Amino acid sequence: MKYWLFKSEPDAWSWDQQVAKGDAGEEWHGVRNYQARNNMRAMQIGDLGFFYHSNIGKECVGIVEVCATSAPDSTTDDPRWDCVHIRAVRPLLRPVTLETCKVEPGLEQMALVNNTRLSVQPVTPEEWAIVCRLGGVEA
DNA sequence: GCCAACGTTGGC
DNA sequence: GCCAACGTTGGC
């Protein structure tokens, strides 16, 4: 079991839209960055991730689960790009903002804080536990 | 809307 | 294989 973080601009794809997809989930398409893609290739079914709203909100708003391992991205013919499918598991009771993560002890090394441009990031178990606590949910 | 950070592309 | 130019992301 590994932990991740998925960024999305809510204008383009929001948590509410993700929730509306239900257990069927949705293809996390559109990633055109090797690091992010490699992270997705490392994912397994059942891995959990935070759903983060970039730009608007700048906060983790929910928890998602990987429900299909990496497969070709249907939005491109370029074989370099593939992606996983994720489904919404539950919302955070209180969103955890970037601002909070920046000052919270134990989150200094979070990619969210110091590698802002990476759109699919790994999260350590320690970071996962802290953000879940801040979000008011069980890790 | 601006711009810093950073990744990618392409000429040499 | 280097590096300048360029494009994109995302915080502010």
Side-chain angles (χ1 to χ4, degrees):
Chain A
M1 159 74 78
K2 289 201 170 64
Y3 300 103
W4 311 93
L5 183 146
F6 298 84
K7 282 189 195 175
S8 182
E9 297 192 34
D11 274 352
W13 183 254
S14 70
W15 170 249
D16 286 345
Q17 288 172 283
Q18 183 69 50
V19 169
K21 285 287 175 178
D23 286 347
E26 175 72 359
E27 180 189 51
W28 197 253
H29 52 233
V31 171
R32 300 292 182 267
N33 170 282
Y34 290 108
Q35 252 187 294
R37 184 210 61 189
N38 289 343
N39 287 333
M40 288 197 285
R41 287 184 176 178
M43 292 177 190
Q44 299 192 321
I45 289 175
D47 280 0
L48 297 175
F50 293 119
F51 191 107
Y52 175 82
H53 279 168
S54 63
N55 261 309
I56 299 168
K58 284 169 288 182
E59 58 196 9
C60 297
V61 292
I63 291 176
V64 295
E65 177 183 26
V66 176
C67 59
T69 52
S70 207
D73 185 329
S74 69
T75 62
T76 180
D77 289 332
D78 192 329
R80 291 179 299 172
W81 307 119
D82 51 54
C83 59
V84 297
H85 289 225
I86 61 174
R87 65 176 185 86
V89 175
R90 60 177 168 276
L92 296 182
L93 297 184
R94 356 173 93 214
V96 180
T97 66
L98 174 62
E99 195 182 4
T100 299
C101 292
K102 281 183 172 175
V103 298
E104 180 69 19
L107 298 183
E108 298 87 354
Q109 302 303 314
M110 249 191 122
L112 185 66
V113 172
N114 59 28
N115 192 359
T116 54
R117 293 192 55 229
L118 184 60
S119 60
V120 180
Q121 327 180 335
V123 172
T124 68
E126 293 77 16
E127 291 162 352
W128 183 265
I130 293 170
V131 176
C132 283
R133 173 170 54 76
L134 295 172
V137 298
E138 296 283 319

